[in-house]
Coordinates of all heavy atoms in Angstrom, one line a residue:
M807 N 161.2 110.3 44.7 CA 162.6 110.6 45.2 C 162.7 112.0 45.9 O 162.3 112.9 45.2 CB 163.6 110.4 44.1 CG 165.0 110.2 44.4 SD 165.2 108.6 45.3 CE 166.2 107.7 44.1
K808 N 163.1 112.1 47.1 CA 163.3 113.4 47.7 C 164.7 113.8 47.7 O 165.7 113.0 47.8 CB 162.8 113.3 49.1 CG 161.5 112.7 49.3 CD 160.3 113.5 48.9 CE 159.0 112.9 49.0 NZ 158.4 112.9 50.3
K809 N 164.9 115.1 47.5 CA 166.3 115.7 47.4 C 166.6 116.5 48.7 O 165.8 117.4 49.1 CB 166.3 116.6 46.2 CG 167.6 116.9 45.7 CD 167.5 117.6 44.3 CE 168.7 118.4 44.0 NZ 168.5 119.1 42.7
V810 N 167.6 116.0 49.5 CA 167.9 116.7 50.7 C 169.3 117.3 50.7 O 170.2 116.6 50.4 CB 167.9 115.7 51.8 CG1 168.2 116.3 53.2 CG2 166.6 114.9 51.9
T811 N 169.4 118.6 51.0 CA 170.7 119.2 51.1 C 171.0 119.5 52.6 O 170.2 120.0 53.3 CB 170.6 120.6 50.3 OG1 170.4 120.3 49.0 CG2 172.0 121.3 50.4
Y812 N 172.1 118.9 53.0 CA 172.6 119.1 54.4 C 173.6 120.3 54.4 O 174.5 120.2 53.6 CB 173.3 117.8 54.9 CG 172.3 116.7 55.0 CD1 172.1 115.8 54.0 CD2 171.7 116.4 56.2 CE1 171.3 114.7 54.1 CE2 170.8 115.3 56.3 CZ 170.6 114.5 55.3 OH 169.8 113.4 55.4
I813 N 173.5 121.2 55.3 CA 174.5 122.2 55.5 C 175.2 121.9 56.8 O 174.5 121.9 57.9 CB 173.8 123.6 55.6 CG1 172.9 123.9 54.4 CG2 174.9 124.7 55.6 CD1 173.4 124.2 53.1
T814 N 176.4 121.7 56.8 CA 177.2 121.4 58.0 C 177.5 122.7 58.8 O 177.3 123.7 58.3 CB 178.5 120.6 57.7 OG1 179.4 121.5 57.1 CG2 178.2 119.4 56.8
Q815 N 178.1 122.5 60.0 CA 178.5 123.6 60.8 C 179.6 124.4 60.1 O 179.8 125.6 60.4 CB 179.0 123.1 62.1 CG 177.8 122.7 63.1 CD 177.1 123.9 63.6 OE1 177.7 124.8 64.1 NE2 175.8 123.9 63.4
K816 N 180.4 123.7 59.1 CA 181.4 124.4 58.4 C 180.9 125.1 57.2 O 181.6 125.4 56.3 CB 182.5 123.4 58.0 CG 183.3 122.9 59.2 CD 184.4 122.0 58.7 CE 185.1 121.3 59.8 NZ 185.8 120.1 59.4
E817 N 179.5 125.1 57.1 CA 178.8 125.7 55.9 C 179.1 124.9 54.7 O 179.0 125.5 53.5 CB 179.2 127.2 55.8 CG 178.8 128.1 56.9 CD 177.3 128.2 57.1 OE1 176.5 128.2 56.1 OE2 176.8 128.4 58.2
E818 N 179.4 123.7 54.7 CA 179.5 122.9 53.6 C 178.2 122.2 53.2 O 177.5 121.8 54.1 CB 180.6 121.8 53.8 CG 182.0 122.3 53.8 CD 183.0 121.3 54.4 OE1 182.6 120.2 54.8 OE2 184.2 121.6 54.3
A819 N 177.9 122.3 51.9 CA 176.6 121.7 51.5 C 176.8 120.4 50.7 O 177.6 120.3 50.0 CB 175.9 122.8 50.6
K820 N 175.9 119.4 51.1 CA 176.0 118.2 50.3 C 174.5 117.8 50.1 O 173.8 117.8 51.0 CB 176.8 117.1 51.2 CG 177.2 115.9 50.4 CD 178.2 115.1 51.2 CE 178.7 114.0 50.4 NZ 179.6 113.1 51.2
T821 N 174.3 117.4 48.9 CA 172.9 117.0 48.5 C 172.8 115.5 48.3 O 173.7 114.9 47.7 CB 172.4 117.7 47.3 OG1 172.5 119.1 47.6 CG2 171.0 117.4 46.9
A822 N 171.8 114.9 48.8 CA 171.6 113.4 48.6 C 170.1 113.2 48.3 O 169.2 114.0 48.6 CB 172.0 112.8 50.0
T823 N 169.9 112.0 47.7 CA 168.4 111.7 47.4 C 168.1 110.4 48.0 O 168.9 109.5 48.2 CB 168.3 111.6 45.9 OG1 169.2 110.7 45.4 CG2 168.4 113.0 45.2
A824 N 166.8 110.3 48.3 CA 166.3 109.0 48.9 C 164.8 109.0 48.7 O 164.1 109.9 48.5 CB 166.6 109.0 50.4
S825 N 164.3 107.7 48.8 CA 162.8 107.6 48.7 C 162.3 106.8 49.9 O 161.1 106.8 50.1 CB 162.4 106.8 47.5 OG 163.1 105.6 47.4
S826 N 163.2 106.4 50.8 CA 162.7 105.8 52.0 C 163.8 105.9 53.1 O 164.8 106.6 52.9 CB 162.4 104.3 51.8 OG 163.7 103.6 51.5
G827 N 163.5 105.5 54.3 CA 164.4 105.7 55.5 C 164.1 106.9 56.2 O 163.0 107.5 56.1
N828 N 165.1 107.5 56.9 CA 164.9 108.7 57.5 C 166.1 109.7 57.3 O 167.2 109.2 56.7 CB 164.7 108.5 59.0 CG 165.8 107.8 59.7 OD1 167.0 108.3 59.6 ND2 165.5 106.7 60.4
L829 N 166.1 110.9 57.8 CA 167.1 111.9 57.5 C 168.5 111.5 58.2 O 169.5 111.9 57.7 CB 166.7 113.2 58.0 CG 165.7 114.1 57.1 CD1 165.4 115.4 57.7 CD2 166.3 114.3 55.8
M830 N 168.4 110.8 59.2 CA 169.7 110.3 59.9 C 170.4 109.3 59.0 O 171.6 109.4 58.7 CB 169.5 109.8 61.3 CG 170.7 109.4 62.1 SD 171.2 107.6 61.7 CE 170.0 106.7 62.6
E831 N 169.6 108.3 58.6 CA 170.2 107.2 57.8 C 170.8 107.7 56.5 O 171.8 107.3 56.0 CB 169.0 106.2 57.5 CG 168.7 105.4 58.7 CD 167.3 104.6 58.5 OE1 166.6 104.9 57.5 OE2 167.1 103.7 59.3
L832 N 170.1 108.7 55.9 CA 170.5 109.3 54.6 C 171.8 110.0 54.9 O 172.7 110.0 54.0 CB 169.5 110.2 54.1 CG 169.8 110.8 52.7 CD1 169.9 109.8 51.6 CD2 168.7 111.9 52.3
A833 N 171.9 110.8 56.0 CA 173.1 111.5 56.3 C 174.3 110.6 56.5 O 175.4 110.8 56.1 CB 172.9 112.4 57.6
I834 N 174.1 109.5 57.3 CA 175.2 108.6 57.6 C 175.6 107.9 56.2 O 176.8 107.8 56.0 CB 174.7 107.4 58.5 CG1 174.3 108.0 59.9 CG2 175.7 106.3 58.6 CD1 175.4 108.6 60.7
A835 N 174.8 107.6 55.4 CA 175.1 106.9 54.1 C 175.9 107.9 53.2 O 176.6 107.4 52.3 CB 173.8 106.5 53.4
N836 N 175.7 109.1 53.5 CA 176.4 110.2 52.7 C 177.6 110.9 53.4 O 178.0 111.9 53.0 CB 175.4 111.2 52.1 CG 174.6 110.5 51.0 OD1 175.0 110.5 49.9 ND2 173.4 110.0 51.4
N837 N 177.9 110.4 54.6 CA 179.1 110.9 55.4 C 178.9 112.4 55.7 O 179.8 113.2 55.5 CB 180.4 110.7 54.6 CG 180.7 109.3 54.4 OD1 180.6 108.5 55.4 ND2 181.1 108.9 53.3
I838 N 177.7 112.8 56.1 CA 177.5 114.2 56.5 C 178.1 114.4 57.8 O 177.8 113.8 58.9 CB 175.9 114.5 56.6 CG1 175.3 114.1 55.2 CG2 175.7 115.9 56.9 CD1 175.7 114.8 54.0
E839 N 179.0 115.4 57.9 CA 179.7 115.7 59.1 C 178.8 116.3 60.1 O 177.9 117.1 59.9 CB 180.8 116.8 58.8 CG 181.9 116.9 59.9 CD 183.0 117.8 59.5 OE1 183.2 118.0 58.3 OE2 183.4 118.4 60.5
G840 N 178.9 115.7 61.4 CA 178.0 116.3 62.5 C 176.8 115.4 62.8 O 176.2 115.6 63.7
I841 N 176.6 114.5 61.8 CA 175.5 113.6 62.1 C 176.1 112.2 62.4 O 176.7 111.6 61.6 CB 174.5 113.4 60.9 CG1 174.0 114.7 60.5 CG2 173.4 112.4 61.2 CD1 172.7 115.1 61.1
E842 N 176.0 111.7 63.7 CA 176.6 110.6 64.1 C 175.7 109.3 64.2 O 176.0 108.2 63.9 CB 177.3 110.7 65.5 CG 178.1 112.0 65.6 CD 179.4 111.9 64.8 OE1 179.8 110.8 64.4 OE2 180.0 113.0 64.5
G843 N 174.5 109.6 64.7 CA 173.5 108.5 64.7 C 174.0 107.4 65.7 O 173.7 106.2 65.5
D844 N 174.5 107.8 66.8 CA 175.1 106.8 67.8 C 174.1 105.8 68.3 O 174.5 104.6 68.5 CB 175.7 107.6 69.0 CG 177.0 108.2 68.7 OD1 177.5 108.0 67.5 OD2 177.5 109.0 69.5
C845 N 172.9 106.1 68.5 CA 171.9 105.2 69.1 C 171.3 104.3 68.0 O 170.4 103.4 68.3 CB 170.9 105.9 69.9 SG 169.7 106.8 68.9
G846 N 171.6 104.5 66.7 CA 171.1 103.7 65.7 C 169.6 104.2 65.3 O 168.9 103.5 64.5
G847 N 169.2 105.3 65.8 CA 168.0 105.9 65.3 C 166.8 105.6 66.3 O 165.6 105.7 65.9
V848 N 167.1 105.3 67.5 CA 166.0 105.0 68.5 C 165.7 106.2 69.4 O 165.1 106.1 70.5 CB 166.2 103.8 69.3 CG1 166.2 102.5 68.4 CG2 167.5 103.9 70.1
C849 N 166.1 107.4 69.0 CA 165.8 108.7 69.7 C 166.4 108.7 71.1 O 165.7 109.2 72.0 CB 164.2 108.8 69.7 SG 163.7 110.5 70.1
S850 N 167.6 108.2 71.3 CA 168.2 108.3 72.6 C 169.6 108.9 72.7 O 170.2 108.7 73.7 CB 168.1 106.9 73.3 OG 169.0 106.1 72.6
C851 N 170.1 109.5 71.6 CA 171.4 110.1 71.7 C 171.5 111.6 71.3 O 172.4 112.2 71.7 CB 172.4 109.2 70.9 SG 172.1 109.5 69.1
A852 N 170.6 112.0 70.4 CA 170.6 113.3 69.9 C 171.9 113.7 69.1 O 172.1 114.9 69.0 CB 170.3 114.4 71.0
T853 N 172.6 112.7 68.6 CA 173.7 113.1 67.7 C 173.3 113.1 66.3 O 174.1 113.1 65.4 CB 174.8 112.0 67.8 OG1 174.3 110.7 67.4 CG2 175.3 111.8 69.3
C854 N 172.0 113.4 66.1 CA 171.5 113.5 64.7 C 170.7 114.8 64.7 O 169.8 114.9 63.8 CB 170.7 112.4 64.3 SG 169.2 112.1 65.3
H855 N 171.0 115.8 65.6 CA 170.3 117.0 65.7 C 170.4 117.9 64.5 O 171.5 118.2 64.0 CB 170.8 117.7 67.0 CG 170.1 119.0 67.3 ND1 170.6 119.8 68.3 CD2 169.0 119.6 66.8 CE1 169.7 120.9 68.4 NE2 168.8 120.7 67.5
I856 N 169.2 118.3 63.9 CA 169.2 119.2 62.8 C 168.2 120.4 63.0 O 167.4 120.3 63.9 CB 168.8 118.5 61.4 CG1 167.4 117.8 61.7 CG2 169.8 117.5 61.0 CD1 166.7 117.4 60.4
H857 N 168.5 121.4 62.2 CA 167.4 122.5 62.2 C 166.8 122.6 60.9 O 167.4 122.5 59.8 CB 168.2 123.9 62.4 CG 168.8 124.0 63.8 ND1 169.7 125.0 64.1 CD2 168.6 123.3 64.9 CE1 170.1 124.9 65.4 NE2 169.4 123.9 65.9
L858 N 165.4 122.7 60.9 CA 164.7 122.9 59.7 C 164.4 124.4 59.5 O 164.6 125.1 60.4 CB 163.4 122.1 59.8 CG 163.4 120.6 60.0 CD1 162.0 120.1 60.1 CD2 164.1 119.9 58.9
T859 N 164.0 124.7 58.3 CA 163.5 126.1 58.2 C 162.1 126.2 58.8 O 161.4 125.1 58.9 CB 163.4 126.6 56.7 OG1 162.4 125.7 56.1 CG2 164.7 126.5 56.0
P860 N 161.6 127.4 59.2 CA 160.2 127.4 59.7 C 159.2 126.8 58.8 O 158.3 126.1 59.2 CB 160.0 128.9 59.9 CG 161.3 129.5 60.0 CD 162.3 128.6 59.2
E861 N 159.3 127.1 57.4 CA 158.4 126.5 56.4 C 158.4 125.0 56.4 O 157.4 124.4 56.5 CB 158.7 127.1 55.1 CG 158.6 128.6 54.9 CD 159.7 129.3 55.5 OE1 160.8 128.8 55.6 OE2 159.5 130.5 56.0
D862 N 159.6 124.5 56.4 CA 159.7 123.0 56.4 C 159.3 122.4 57.7 O 158.7 121.3 57.7 CB 161.2 122.6 56.0 CG 161.5 122.9 54.6 OD1 160.6 123.0 53.8 OD2 162.8 123.1 54.3
F863 N 159.5 123.1 58.8 CA 159.0 122.5 60.1 C 157.5 122.4 60.0 O 157.0 121.4 60.6 CB 159.5 123.6 61.1 CG 159.3 123.0 62.6 CD1 160.2 122.2 63.1 CD2 158.2 123.4 63.3 CE1 160.0 121.7 64.5 CE2 158.0 122.9 64.6 CZ 158.9 122.1 65.2
E864 N 156.9 123.4 59.4 CA 155.4 123.4 59.3 C 154.9 122.2 58.6 O 154.0 121.4 58.9 CB 155.0 124.7 58.6 CG 153.5 124.8 58.6 CD 153.0 126.0 59.4 OE1 153.7 126.3 60.5 OE2 152.0 126.5 59.2
T865 N 155.6 121.9 57.4 CA 155.3 120.7 56.5 C 155.5 119.4 57.2 O 154.7 118.6 57.2 CB 156.1 120.8 55.2 OG1 155.9 122.2 54.7 CG2 155.7 119.7 54.3
V866 N 156.8 119.3 57.8 CA 157.2 118.0 58.3 C 156.6 117.7 59.6 O 156.3 116.6 60.0 CB 158.8 118.1 58.5 CG1 159.2 116.9 59.2 CG2 159.4 118.2 57.1
G867 N 156.3 118.8 60.5 CA 155.8 118.6 61.7 C 156.8 118.6 62.8 O 158.0 118.6 62.6
G868 N 156.3 118.8 64.1 CA 157.1 119.0 65.3 C 157.6 117.7 65.9 O 157.1 116.6 65.5
P869 N 158.5 117.7 66.8 CA 158.9 116.5 67.5 C 157.9 115.8 68.4 O 157.0 116.5 68.9 CB 160.1 117.0 68.4 CG 159.8 118.5 68.6 CD 159.1 119.0 67.4
G870 N 158.1 114.5 68.5 CA 157.2 113.8 69.4 C 157.7 114.0 70.9 O 158.6 114.7 71.1
E871 N 157.0 113.4 71.8 CA 157.2 113.7 73.2 C 158.6 113.3 73.6 O 159.4 114.1 74.3 CB 156.2 113.0 74.0 CG 155.9 113.6 75.4 CD 154.8 112.8 76.1 OE1 153.8 112.7 75.5 OE2 155.0 112.4 77.3
I872 N 159.1 112.1 73.3 CA 160.4 111.6 73.7 C 161.5 112.4 73.0 O 162.5 112.8 73.6 CB 160.5 110.1 73.4 CG1 159.6 109.4 74.2 CG2 162.0 109.6 73.6 CD1 159.4 107.9 73.9
E873 N 161.3 112.7 71.7 CA 162.2 113.5 71.0 C 162.3 114.9 71.6 O 163.4 115.4 71.7 CB 161.7 113.6 69.5 CG 162.6 114.3 68.6 CD 162.0 114.5 67.2 OE1 161.0 113.8 66.8 OE2 162.6 115.2 66.4
E874 N 161.2 115.5 72.0 CA 161.3 116.8 72.6 C 162.1 116.8 73.9 O 162.9 117.6 74.2 CB 159.8 117.2 72.9 CG 159.7 118.7 73.0 CD 158.3 119.2 72.8 OE1 157.5 118.4 72.2 OE2 157.9 120.3 73.2
E875 N 161.9 115.7 74.7 CA 162.8 115.5 75.9 C 164.3 115.4 75.6 O 165.1 116.0 76.3 CB 162.3 114.3 76.7 CG 161.0 114.5 77.4 CD 160.4 113.3 78.0 OE1 161.2 112.3 78.1 OE2 159.2 113.2 78.3
M876 N 164.6 114.8 74.6 CA 166.0 114.6 74.2 C 166.5 116.0 73.7 O 167.6 116.4 74.1 CB 166.2 113.6 73.0 CG 166.0 112.2 73.3 SD 167.1 111.7 74.6 CE 168.7 111.9 73.8
L877 N 165.7 116.8 73.0 CA 166.2 118.0 72.5 C 166.4 119.0 73.6 O 167.2 119.9 73.5 CB 165.1 118.6 71.5 CG 165.1 117.9 70.1 CD1 163.9 118.3 69.3 CD2 166.4 118.3 69.3
E878 N 165.6 118.9 74.7 CA 165.7 119.8 75.9 C 167.2 119.7 76.4 O 167.6 120.6 77.1 CB 164.7 119.5 77.0 CG 163.3 120.1 76.7 CD 162.3 119.6 77.5 OE1 162.6 119.0 78.6 OE2 161.1 119.7 77.2
L879 N 167.8 118.6 76.2 CA 169.2 118.4 76.8 C 170.2 119.0 75.9 O 171.4 119.0 76.2 CB 169.4 116.9 77.1 CG 168.4 116.2 77.9 CD1 168.7 114.7 77.9 CD2 168.4 116.7 79.3
E880 N 169.9 119.3 74.6 CA 170.8 119.8 73.7 C 171.2 121.3 73.9 O 170.4 122.0 74.3 CB 170.2 119.6 72.3 CG 170.3 118.2 71.7 CD 171.8 117.9 71.4 OE1 172.3 118.4 70.4 OE2 172.4 117.1 72.2
D881 N 172.4 121.7 73.4 CA 172.8 123.0 73.4 C 172.2 123.9 72.4 O 171.6 124.8 72.7 CB 174.4 123.1 73.3 CG 175.0 122.5 74.6 OD1 174.4 122.5 75.6 OD2 176.2 122.1 74.5
N882 N 172.4 123.5 71.2 CA 172.1 124.4 70.1 C 170.7 124.2 69.6 O 170.5 124.0 68.4 CB 173.2 124.1 68.9 CG 173.0 125.0 67.7 OD1 172.4 126.1 67.8 ND2 173.6 124.6 66.7
V883 N 169.8 124.3 70.5 CA 168.4 124.1 70.1 C 167.6 125.3 69.5 O 167.9 126.4 70.0 CB 167.6 123.7 71.3 CG1 166.1 123.2 71.0 CG2 168.1 122.4 72.0
S884 N 166.9 125.1 68.5 CA 166.1 126.2 67.9 C 164.7 125.7 68.0 O 164.4 124.6 68.2 CB 166.5 126.5 66.5 OG 165.7 125.7 65.6
P885 N 163.7 126.7 67.7 CA 162.3 126.3 67.8 C 162.0 125.3 66.6 O 160.9 124.7 66.6 CB 161.5 127.6 67.5 CG 162.5 128.7 67.7 CD 163.9 128.1 67.6
Y886 N 163.0 125.2 65.7 CA 162.8 124.3 64.5 C 163.7 123.1 64.5 O 164.0 122.5 63.5 CB 162.9 125.1 63.2 CG 162.1 126.4 63.3 CD1 162.7 127.6 63.5 CD2 160.7 126.3 63.3 CE1 161.9 128.8 63.6 CE2 159.9 127.4 63.4 CZ 160.6 128.7 63.6 OH 159.8 129.8 63.7
S887 N 164.1 122.7 65.7 CA 165.0 121.6 65.9 C 164.2 120.3 65.7 O 163.1 120.2 66.1 CB 165.6 121.6 67.3 OG 166.7 122.5 67.4
R888 N 164.8 119.3 65.1 CA 164.4 117.9 65.0 C 165.6 117.0 65.2 O 166.7 117.3 65.0 CB 163.7 117.6 63.7 CG 162.3 118.4 63.4 CD 161.2 118.0 64.4 NE 161.1 116.5 64.6 CZ 160.2 115.7 63.9 NH1 159.4 116.3 63.0 NH2 160.1 114.5 64.1
L889 N 165.3 115.7 65.5 CA 166.3 114.7 65.5 C 166.0 114.0 64.2 O 164.9 113.5 63.9 CB 166.1 113.8 66.7 CG 166.4 114.4 68.1 CD1 166.2 113.5 69.2 CD2 167.8 114.9 68.1
A890 N 167.2 114.0 63.4 CA 167.0 113.5 62.0 C 166.5 112.0 61.9 O 165.8 111.7 61.0 CB 168.4 113.6 61.3
C891 N 166.8 111.2 63.0 CA 166.3 109.8 62.9 C 164.8 109.7 63.1 O 164.2 108.7 62.8 CB 167.0 109.0 63.9 SG 166.6 109.4 65.6
Q892 N 164.2 110.8 63.5 CA 162.8 110.8 63.7 C 162.0 111.5 62.6 O 160.8 111.7 62.7 CB 162.4 111.5 65.1 CG 163.1 110.8 66.3 CD 162.7 109.4 66.4 OE1 161.5 109.0 66.5 NE2 163.7 108.5 66.4
V893 N 162.7 111.8 61.5 CA 162.1 112.4 60.4 C 162.1 111.5 59.2 O 163.2 111.4 58.5 CB 162.8 113.8 60.0 CG1 162.1 114.5 58.8 CG2 162.8 114.7 61.2
P894 N 161.0 110.9 58.9 CA 160.9 109.9 57.7 C 161.1 110.7 56.4 O 160.5 111.8 56.3 CB 159.6 109.3 57.8 CG 158.9 109.8 59.0 CD 159.7 110.9 59.6
I895 N 161.8 110.1 55.5 CA 161.9 110.8 54.2 C 160.6 111.0 53.6 O 160.3 112.0 52.9 CB 162.8 109.8 53.2 CG1 164.2 109.6 53.8 CG2 162.8 110.4 51.8 CD1 165.1 110.9 53.8
S896 N 159.6 110.1 53.9 CA 158.3 110.2 53.3 C 157.5 111.4 53.7 O 156.6 111.9 53.1 CB 157.5 108.9 53.5 OG 157.4 108.8 55.0
S897 N 158.0 112.0 54.9 CA 157.3 113.2 55.4 C 157.7 114.5 54.8 O 157.3 115.6 55.1 CB 157.5 113.3 56.9 OG 158.7 113.6 57.3
L898 N 158.8 114.4 53.9 CA 159.5 115.6 53.4 C 158.8 116.1 52.1 O 158.3 115.4 51.4 CB 160.9 115.3 53.1 CG 161.8 114.7 54.2 CD1 163.2 114.4 53.7 CD2 161.9 115.8 55.4
P899 N 159.0 117.5 52.0 CA 158.6 118.0 50.6 C 159.7 117.5 49.6 O 160.7 116.9 50.0 CB 158.8 119.5 50.7 CG 159.6 119.7 52.0 CD 159.4 118.5 52.9
D900 N 159.4 117.6 48.3 CA 160.3 117.1 47.2 C 161.7 117.5 47.4 O 162.7 116.8 47.1 CB 159.8 117.5 45.9 CG 158.5 116.7 45.5 OD1 158.2 115.7 46.2 OD2 157.8 117.1 44.6
Q901 N 161.9 118.7 47.9 CA 163.3 119.2 48.1 C 163.4 119.9 49.4 O 162.5 120.7 49.8 CB 163.5 120.2 47.0 CG 164.9 120.3 46.6 CD 165.0 121.1 45.2 OE1 164.2 120.9 44.4 NE2 166.1 121.9 45.0
I902 N 164.5 119.7 50.2 CA 164.6 120.3 51.5 C 166.0 120.6 51.8 O 166.9 119.8 51.3 CB 163.9 119.4 52.6 CG1 163.7 120.1 53.9 CG2 164.7 118.1 52.8 CD1 162.9 119.4 54.9
T903 N 166.2 121.6 52.5 CA 167.6 122.0 53.0 C 167.5 122.0 54.6 O 166.7 122.6 55.2 CB 168.1 123.4 52.6 OG1 168.1 123.3 51.1 CG2 169.5 123.7 53.1
V904 N 168.4 121.2 55.1 CA 168.5 121.1 56.6 C 169.8 121.5 57.1 O 170.9 121.3 56.4 CB 168.1 119.7 57.1 CG1 166.8 119.2 56.6 CG2 169.1 118.7 56.8
K905 N 169.9 122.1 58.3 CA 171.1 122.5 58.8 C 171.6 121.5 60.0 O 170.8 121.2 60.9 CB 171.0 123.9 59.4 CG 172.3 124.6 59.5 CD 172.1 126.1 59.2 CE 173.6 126.5 59.1 NZ 173.9 127.8 59.4
V906 N 172.8 121.0 59.9 CA 173.3 120.1 60.9 C 173.5 121.0 62.1 O 174.3 122.0 62.1 CB 174.5 119.4 60.4 CG1 175.1 118.5 61.5 CG2 174.2 118.6 59.2
A907 N 173.1 120.6 63.3 CA 173.2 121.4 64.5 C 174.5 121.2 65.3 O 174.9 121.9 66.1 CB 171.9 121.2 65.4
N908 N 175.1 120.0 65.1 CA 176.3 119.7 65.9 C 177.6 119.9 65.1 O 177.6 119.7 63.9 CB 176.2 118.2 66.3 CG 175.1 118.0 67.2 OD1 174.8 118.8 68.1 ND2 174.5 116.8 67.0
Ligands
FES1597 S1 170.3 108.7 66.0 FE1 170.2 108.8 68.1 S2 168.7 110.2 68.5 FE2 168.8 110.2 66.4

């Protein structure tokens, strides 16, 4: 079981746990503000944009080619941006804090 804390743009923190799926699905299931998941997780809407810490980015890995192209269109991009639907829970450390970018 992985423990994920989402920090919203309003600086509200909410922690959820999961053992499968991805960071977008977990956020939707827990009503995390700012994660919409409009495209259903097929990497074509960027409404699931999050920022990882540099350490977690190293562990989880960077975006794929299509994900990177989507991120280029986003406003609030950081070098540690990911689209939550492209981050499987299985790739996470036991505990992680992510920042919602929207
Ligand atoms: S849910 Fe659309 S890009 Fe992630």
Side-chain angles (χ1 to χ4, degrees):
M807 203 61 114
K808 309 288 174 80
K809 200 166 159 187
V810 182
T811 300
Y812 295 89
I813 312 280
T814 69
Q815 285 288 306
K816 290 181 186 161
E817 296 294 328
E818 286 165 354
K820 197 168 184 182
T821 300
T823 55
S825 51
S826 63
N828 61 52
L829 280 179
M830 180 277 282
E831 292 166 343
L832 183 62
I834 298 294
N836 288 276
N837 297 314
I838 305 297
E839 197 177 329
I841 305 270
E842 310 292 341
D844 284 350
C845 74
V848 296
C849 199
S850 66
C851 72
T853 62
C854 64
H855 183 188
I856 55 166
H857 294 163
L858 302 177
T859 63
E861 296 75 29
D862 289 333
F863 188 85
E864 186 110 334
T865 306
V866 171
E871 206 174 309
I872 296 170
E873 184 181 349
E874 208 159 335
E875 283 170 17
M876 287 303 300
L877 284 168
E878 277 169 18
L879 307 172
E880 276 291 287
D881 290 335
N882 187 17
V883 181
S884 91
Y886 310 108
S887 284
R888 291 294 314 265
L889 294 177
C891 67
Q892 302 302 304
V893 181
I895 298 294
S896 60
S897 72
L898 302 177
D900 288 345
Q901 210 165 324
I902 191 170
T903 297
V904 304
K905 203 144 191 210
V906 178
N908 297 320

